Amino acid sequence: APINVGMTFKVMFFPDPATKKPRPLAFSRMYCGSVSKGQRVMNKRTGEVVTIDKLYVMQGSTLTEVDSLASGSIGAFFSDKVSTGDTIFAERATMAHRKAAVGNDDANAAFHSF
């Protein structure tokens, strides 16, 4: 099975539909696999686990909630644990997947608590 990999290309404050208060909204593109709401992913840069409570796609200036995003899709989720340029991986990624993503054998350092 392919590993789920995405990259956050923009983080901006946007009103959360539930609270109407501005929160960091991470716009991301799925490069491989898919991501679903409720899924736990890991931020490669920080090593932090992020739970994606809800996923959205933009339709004009409106957020539309979706259940999942497939490879090639662009969507967004609210999180204060991701920044522009961060790569996110499925939490269940294997060491082989981590080594391939980093491009060398130093996967333990790059994903110290993955």
Side-chain angles (χ1 to χ4, degrees):
I3 184 167
N4 303 342
V5 180
M7 179 162 165
T8 301
F9 60 86
K10 179 75 173 175
V11 176
M12 59 185 276
F13 281 83
F14 199 87
D16 184 326
T19 65
K20 307 297 185 219
K21 294 182 180 178
R23 291 187 53 213
L25 183 65
F27 289 88
S28 302
R29 179 177 179 153
M30 288 306 300
Y31 284 106
C32 183
S34 63
V35 65
S36 300
K37 66 180 178 181
Q39 185 172 345
R40 293 165 48 100
V41 295
M42 178 165 280
N43 182 330
K44 176 184 164 258
R45 180 181 58 83
T46 65
E48 287 188 85
V49 173
V50 177
T51 300
I52 298 177
D53 294 322
K54 295 183 179 182
L55 282 168
Y56 301 94
V57 293
M58 292 295 290
Q59 293 184 332
S61 61
T62 303
L63 290 175
T64 301
E65 190 173 342
V66 295
D67 290 333
S68 63
L69 294 173
S71 181
S73 298
I74 294 174
F77 58 95
F78 287 100
S79 177
D80 57 0
K81 294 183 178 181
V82 265
S83 297
T84 299
D86 284 352
T87 301
I88 54 173
F89 290 87
E91 186 184 23
R92 66 186 180 278
T94 66
M95 182 58 72
H97 286 124
R98 289 180 251 159
K99 286 180 179 181
V102 176
N104 62 38
D105 288 331
D106 196 19
N108 284 326
F111 299 89
H112 52 86
S113 64
F114 196 37

